[in-house]
Amino acid sequence: MSDIAAPAKPRRNIEAVLLVLALGVGVGANMLVGIDEDRAFDSDFWVQGGTLVALVLAFHFVLRFRAKYADPVILPIVTALNGIGLAMIHRLDIANGDDAADRQLLWSTVAVAAAIAVMFFIKDHRILRRYTYISLIVSALLLLLPLMPGLGQEINGARIWINVGFGTFQPGEIAKITLAIFFAGYLSANRDLILLAGRKVGPLQLPRFKDMGPMMAAWAVSIGVLVFQRDLGSSILFFGLFMAMIYVATSRVSWVLIGLALIGAGGFVAVQLFSHVALRIDSWLNAFDPEVIARVPGGSFQVVNGLFGLASGGMTGTGLGQGRPDLVTYANSDMIIAALGEELGLIGIFAIVLMYVLLVSRGFRAALGTRDGFGKLLACGLSFTIALQCFVVIGGVTRLIPLTGLTTPFMSAGGSSLLANWIIVALLLLISDAARRPAATGLPTDMEPALAAPGADRGKTYGKGRNEVAGA
């Protein structure tokens, strides 16, 4: 067999075919909602469907010119998820007399426009490595903004929003991107230092104490978010992001064990000292206790109603527009998975989870394909952020873990979440384009060695063409 790799193909036509299917899912779901509510093909249907089609096609044509070798599966998956979310929010608007779908459509437009801007202004993802420490400063400022008097707002006990005049915005959603850029830049530059041998305890190779500074800083940030902003979900997300990226960078289980120990210690102290954390844990463990259900604040009424909705949906669901998801508090945001589970059933939820699995796997595939350490870590970090957020949300709705209030990516009502996740998609597409693009003769002088396990033959990694690693 020849060692010469087959030439890479843009596969934008495959993406176009998949986009037709994805738009069919999203627009079709909205059509079914209108039919079941006796509002078939009204003005809302045409505006929402037409806007979604225009936005996605615009992004598709930008990819044809700016990143023609980008992964052809990512955009269709995100389109389907965004479309299903719009349909369910519209369905809940009809029941509640709200206009959240119009706001979600507006934020979808802003988010896709921001993603397109990223494609235009960032020609090479490695440019972001120059802003490693600037990203850290920006992350700190974003996380501090909700704590500023007059600017920050407390909603439902959590102080994670700021007032932007025409509404509220959650800076922490953007902070997860800037933190991923900082972690990727720091770990790719200091990997060899971090891998220096520390003390060995049994089978574990512990890092040196002075090399644990970034982990301790990440732990402090996550605990700070939990304490001062009262946001358990973001706390888990930020620390989990760092844990995943440092494991990818070092391949050492000792870092994971140390991180889990820090999480356990911080969580135990938080439960003992802060009432809002203790109430959240109690409402998880004793959700069906009548006193806990009726307790305000910190009760389990929302979770229990969501579980009843999931149970009534059964295997195949009640059908779009034929259930009562509007009985669940915040059904269009925190509990949209419960609303979808009631009307689409277990099969529908499995299909949605599978789309998230495919999206995350394509992000990891881009990480495997790119040959620079920064890109590998950034793609892994951003993909893991989506995966962890889905796990925390779905786990909370199904009572596997305490409910945290995070939004379901691309589906829940919430502009800041939608904006941040579309920017993540743009960055993943840029990295996948670099991974699949035909390699030029020789290596660029600024191309750093690929991250490999300690002792691996890096020469073999360079010997392979990018197309052999990235695939279709």
Side-chain angles (χ1 to χ4, degrees), residues 54-65:
L55 291 174
V56 171
L57 290 182
F59 202 154
H60 170 69
F61 283 113
V62 168
L63 288 179
R64 284 185 174 271
F65 294 102

Side-chain angles (χ1 to χ4, degrees), residues 94-402:
I94 295 174
N96 296 324
D98 201 356
D99 60 349
D102 293 337
R103 295 193 297 271
Q104 186 77 348
L105 187 65
L106 176 61
W107 275 110
S108 296
T109 304
V110 173
V112 174
I116 291 175
V118 169
M119 303 299 298
F120 272 103
F121 289 107
I122 303 178
K123 297 180 180 180
D124 189 332
H125 66 272
R126 289 173 294 175
I127 294 175
L128 295 173
R129 185 174 177 178
R130 303 174 185 173
Y131 307 103
T132 296
Y133 291 98
I134 293 178
S135 297
L136 176 61
I137 295 173
V138 171
S139 301
L141 292 175
L142 288 171
L143 293 175
L144 288 173
L145 282 177
L147 301 177
M148 296 181 62
L151 182 62
Q153 285 194 336
E154 183 174 324
I155 301 176
N156 299 323
R159 193 176 180 87
I160 56 176
W161 287 271
I162 60 172
N163 187 355
V164 291
F166 56 87
T168 58
F169 189 80
Q170 188 175 339
E173 289 289 342
I174 305 299
K176 67 186 181 185
I177 301 175
T178 55
L179 279 173
I181 294 172
F182 164 70
F183 289 148
Y186 179 85
L187 291 172
S188 60
N190 297 278
R191 175 177 178 268
D192 292 336
L193 177 64
I194 295 172
L195 283 175
L196 287 177
R199 179 176 299 178
K200 191 170 185 180
V201 179
L204 298 179
Q205 186 75 47
L206 297 179
R208 299 184 304 177
F209 181 78
K210 65 179 182 180
D211 296 330
M212 294 179 62
M215 173 173 280
M216 298 303 295
W219 179 74
V221 167
S222 62
I223 293 299
V225 170
L226 177 63
V227 172
F228 296 107
Q229 298 186 355
R230 296 171 171 255
D231 186 18
L232 180 62
S234 296
S235 178
I236 295 173
L237 190 63
F238 294 150
F239 192 76
L241 169 65
F242 178 72
M243 287 302 307
M245 295 181 70
I246 198 168
Y247 176 73
V248 171
T250 64
S251 300
R252 285 189 175 170
V253 180
S254 57
W255 282 100
V256 178
L257 296 178
I258 293 172
L260 292 175
L262 290 173
I263 291 175
F268 177 78
V269 173
V271 169
Q272 301 301 316
L273 297 181
F274 307 113
S275 60
H276 65 281
V277 179
L279 289 175
R280 186 67 61 88
I281 299 298
D282 183 53
S283 66
W284 168 53
L285 295 175
N286 305 296
F288 289 94
D289 188 323
E291 294 182 0
V292 176
I293 293 176
R295 184 173 59 204
V296 179
S300 59
F301 178 80
Q302 183 183 27
V303 176
V304 171
N305 259 8
L307 291 173
F308 285 145
L310 288 171
S312 66
M315 186 65 70
T316 57
T318 60
L320 280 172
Q322 297 182 9
R324 288 301 307 274
D326 53 292
L327 297 177
V328 182
T329 311
Y330 299 108
N332 64 1
S333 55
D334 297 359
M335 303 294 290
I336 197 168
I337 286 295
L340 290 165
E342 180 177 350
E343 300 203 335
L344 299 181
L346 186 62
I347 295 176
I349 289 296
F350 275 178
I352 291 172
V353 171
L354 182 59
M355 282 193 282
Y356 281 117
V357 171
L358 288 173
L359 174 60
V360 172
S361 68
R362 301 306 288 197
F364 285 139
R365 191 181 183 92
L368 288 172
T370 189
R371 293 186 292 178
D372 67 294
F374 174 79
K376 287 180 181 294
L377 284 169
L378 183 58
C380 283
L382 295 176
S383 301
F384 182 80
T385 296
I386 295 176
L388 181 60
Q389 193 163 339
C390 290
F391 170 76
V392 170
V393 170
I394 298 175
V397 170
T398 57
R399 203 171 156 243
L400 176 66
I401 60 175

